[in-house]
């Protein structure tokens, strides 16, 4: 068992990393004794509700299940969950426990931030991606028809409980999603090495990833500077995701995004081919299929199309060296030249 403590402006919370759920009841009991609304998607309900119910035997609890998938990250689900809390007479002394990936986590965090102006939010991230990314840092949101994450709040959890065995049931694509973020962390901080990635000791890479993200979000909880570095590979990655009509996993798209950023960074900083090969070797420590099938023009068009209405520049996270990245604001003409 490992624990990481994260300091947020309004509270300090523990991330507990265990092999299974057998300590969940004790961990919740350490911080809280009220009523719990357990929120699942259909998949996590089928997989984990029996174990979770056993853990919550000594708490008053009720549960609600949402369809699995991005559609549940909506204002409709937001309202449904708020009404569920009100119907079950939840007060400010009670809490929400999210059991799921990023969709359930983001939805529950946002509801917790606004129900009665804020109730406790606890989560069990059940995907590798949500565990190493959205579970800490307090970003919560739902989507609008006009775009993703357009409405939300910064709201820190009170407890994050990771059961590593919950990742055992994940398909390869889901593991790849998490690995894209983990390899990204290796570019931000040397504490994750190629050896760690190849060895694939889940506990080790989860703990190291969370330690890296913790450092960033403690420095810049409200995303005013430093935190933008977490977007490494994501601007290009999101373009590739959209161009592929979501055929590629998020993690693979982030990896493809980092590959492109390595190329762009070499042109921008003028580092040697040896340095570039060292970076590509780090990226290839996980066996991503990195053949980029979209032209620079198409990627560039996708990246710039939305921004062109408001601005003539774009911020990219560039790699000066491994563990040395920086956010660089570039005019479109310069971006075009570098791509
Ligand atoms: N996923 C990026 C962030 O938490 O800021």
């Amino acid at each position: 068992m490992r624990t990481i403590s994260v300091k947020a402006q309004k509270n300090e919370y523990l991330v507990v990393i265990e092999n299974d759920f057998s300590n969940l009841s004790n961990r919740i009991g350490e911080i809280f004794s009220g009523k719990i609304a357990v929120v699942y998607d259909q998949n996590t309900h089928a997989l984990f509700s029996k174990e979770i119910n056993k853990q919550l035997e000594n708490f008053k609890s009720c549960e609600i299940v949402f369809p699995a998938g991005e559609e549940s990250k909506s204002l409709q689900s937001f309202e449904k969950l708020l009404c569920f809390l009100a119907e079950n007479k939840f007060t400010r002394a009670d809490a929400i426990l999210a059991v799921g990936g990023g969709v359930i986590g983001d939805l529950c965090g946002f509801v917790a931030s606004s129900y009665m102006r804020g109730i406790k939010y606890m989560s069990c991230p059940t995907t590798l991606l949500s565990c190493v990314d959205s579970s800490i840092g307090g970003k919560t949101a739902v989507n609008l028809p006009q775009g993703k994450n357009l409405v939300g709040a910064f709201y820190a959890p009170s407890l994050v409980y990771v059961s590593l065995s919950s990742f055992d049931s994940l398909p390869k694509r889901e593991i790849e999603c998490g690995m894209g973020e983990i390899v990204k962390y290796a570019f931000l901080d040397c504490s994750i090495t190629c050896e760690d990635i190849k060895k694939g000791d889940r506990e080790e890479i989860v703990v190291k990833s969370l330690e890296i993200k913790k450092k960033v979000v403690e420095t810049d909880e409200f995303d005013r500077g430093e935190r933008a570095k977490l977007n490494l590979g994501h601007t290009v990655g999101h373009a590739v995701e959209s161009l592929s009509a979501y055929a590629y996993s998020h993690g693979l798209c982030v990896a493809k995004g980092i590959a492109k950023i390595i190329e762009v960074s070499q042109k921008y900083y003028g580092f040697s081919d040896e340095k570039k090969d060292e970076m590509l070797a780090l990226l290839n420590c996980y066996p991503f299929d990195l053949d980029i099938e979209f032209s620079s023009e198409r990627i560039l068009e996708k990246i710039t199309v939305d921004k062109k209405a408001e601005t003539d520049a774009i911020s990219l996270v560039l790699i000066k060296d491994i563990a040395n990245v920086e956010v660089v604001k570039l005019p479109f003409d310069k971006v075009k030249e570098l791509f």
Side-chain angles (χ1 to χ4, degrees):
M1 184 268 295
R2 309 273 284 270
T3 57
I4 297 168
S5 169
V6 184
K7 278 197 197 75
Q9 193 185 63
K10 293 198 179 135
N11 64 336
E12 184 164 357
Y13 55 95
L14 276 191
V15 185
V16 180
I17 299 114
E18 299 267 8
N19 282 324
D20 53 32
F21 286 111
S22 60
N23 243 331
L24 180 63
S25 152
N26 293 336
R27 287 303 187 171
I28 294 177
E30 284 167 10
I31 58 161
F32 168 82
S33 60
K35 197 155 69 175
I36 303 172
V38 192
V39 184
Y40 300 95
D41 69 26
Q42 282 157 338
N43 297 334
T44 59
H45 185 260
L47 288 165
F48 309 119
S49 61
K50 214 169 145 196
E51 265 171 287
I52 303 270
N53 282 337
K54 209 168 130 214
Q55 285 296 313
L56 299 184
E57 258 168 18
N58 295 326
F59 294 87
K60 278 197 194 121
S61 70
C62 51
E63 64 176 41
I64 179 168
V65 183
F66 285 89
E70 192 71 23
E71 303 71 49
S72 288
K73 221 177 117 166
S74 64
L75 280 177
Q76 289 72 29
S77 306
F78 176 73
E79 184 182 5
K80 189 173 170 185
L81 185 49
L82 288 171
C83 292
F84 176 80
L85 296 175
E87 279 156 16
N88 285 283
K89 310 217 172 336
F90 271 61
T91 70
R92 292 193 67 195
D94 300 322
I96 296 180
L97 173 66
V99 182
V103 167
I104 292 296
D106 281 8
L107 167 69
C108 289
F110 186 37
V111 168
S113 77
S114 52
Y115 184 74
M116 291 190 165
R117 300 190 186 87
I119 62 169
K120 271 197 168 52
Y121 165 55
M122 304 180 286
S123 81
C124 296
T126 55
T127 63
L128 184 60
L129 174 61
S130 64
C131 167
V132 297
D133 185 17
S134 58
S135 77
I136 71 167
K139 279 190 180 175
T140 74
V142 295
N143 303 329
L144 294 183
Q146 290 79 0
K148 282 172 105 170
N149 296 327
L150 286 185
V151 52
F154 285 98
Y155 195 69
S158 297
L159 173 71
V160 179
Y161 185 102
V162 178
S163 160
L164 291 168
S165 58
S166 61
F167 307 148
D168 292 346
S169 55
L170 295 174
K172 181 178 169 278
R173 182 186 164 100
E174 272 300 324
I175 295 292
E176 191 176 76
C177 278
M179 289 310 299
E181 296 293 335
I182 289 166
V183 170
K184 175 197 80 179
Y185 289 128
F187 277 89
L188 301 186
D189 190 303
C190 293
S191 59
I192 297 184
T193 62
C194 187
E195 211 186 332
D196 292 326
I197 293 163
K198 284 190 168 154
K199 200 165 146 209
D201 176 331
R202 290 253 166 92
E203 179 172 308
E204 210 50 39
I205 52 180
V206 161
V207 169
K208 287 184 175 182
S209 297
L210 288 169
E211 292 280 8
I212 295 169
K213 181 153 183 187
K214 164 194 153 91
K215 257 195 260 170
V216 176
V217 298
E218 283 185 345
T219 310
D220 179 24
E221 183 178 354
F222 301 113
D223 208 1
R224 292 184 181 128
E226 184 76 7
R227 191 161 174 167
K229 290 181 179 173
L230 296 173
N231 294 335
L232 173 64
H234 281 65
T235 305
V236 177
H238 286 147
V240 173
E241 236 173 326
S242 161
L243 286 169
S244 76
Y246 297 87
Y248 299 141
S249 78
H250 173 72
L252 179 58
C253 293
V254 168
K256 284 175 186 274
I258 295 174
K260 185 71 195 171
I261 287 297
I262 292 173
E263 221 179 83
V264 167
S265 299
Q266 186 183 32
K267 285 193 199 147
Y268 186 78
Y269 296 114
F271 52 69
S272 65
D273 285 342
E274 288 72 32
K275 181 57 70 191
K276 179 183 172 185
D277 290 344
E278 194 190 322
M279 294 179 186
L280 288 173
L282 178 60
L283 187 58
N284 282 305
C285 291
Y286 187 78
F288 295 111
D289 175 9
L290 286 174
D291 295 336
I292 297 200
E293 289 148 39
F294 301 106
S295 64
S296 292
E297 289 71 31
R298 290 190 71 196
I299 293 174
L300 204 54
E301 196 192 330
K302 202 84 205 162
I303 291 174
T304 51
V305 80
D306 291 343
K307 313 250 176 202
K308 268 186 181 150
E310 321 116 44
T311 168
D312 54 3
I314 189 163
S315 288
L316 287 175
V317 187
L318 298 185
I319 310 170
K320 268 183 160 168
D321 201 347
I322 292 167
N324 187 4
V325 305
E326 68 176 357
V327 183
V328 182
K329 194 166 180 187
L330 298 164
F332 282 148
D333 286 350
K334 182 72 181 169
V335 178
K336 213 169 156 188
E337 190 189 310
L338 292 168
F339 269 63

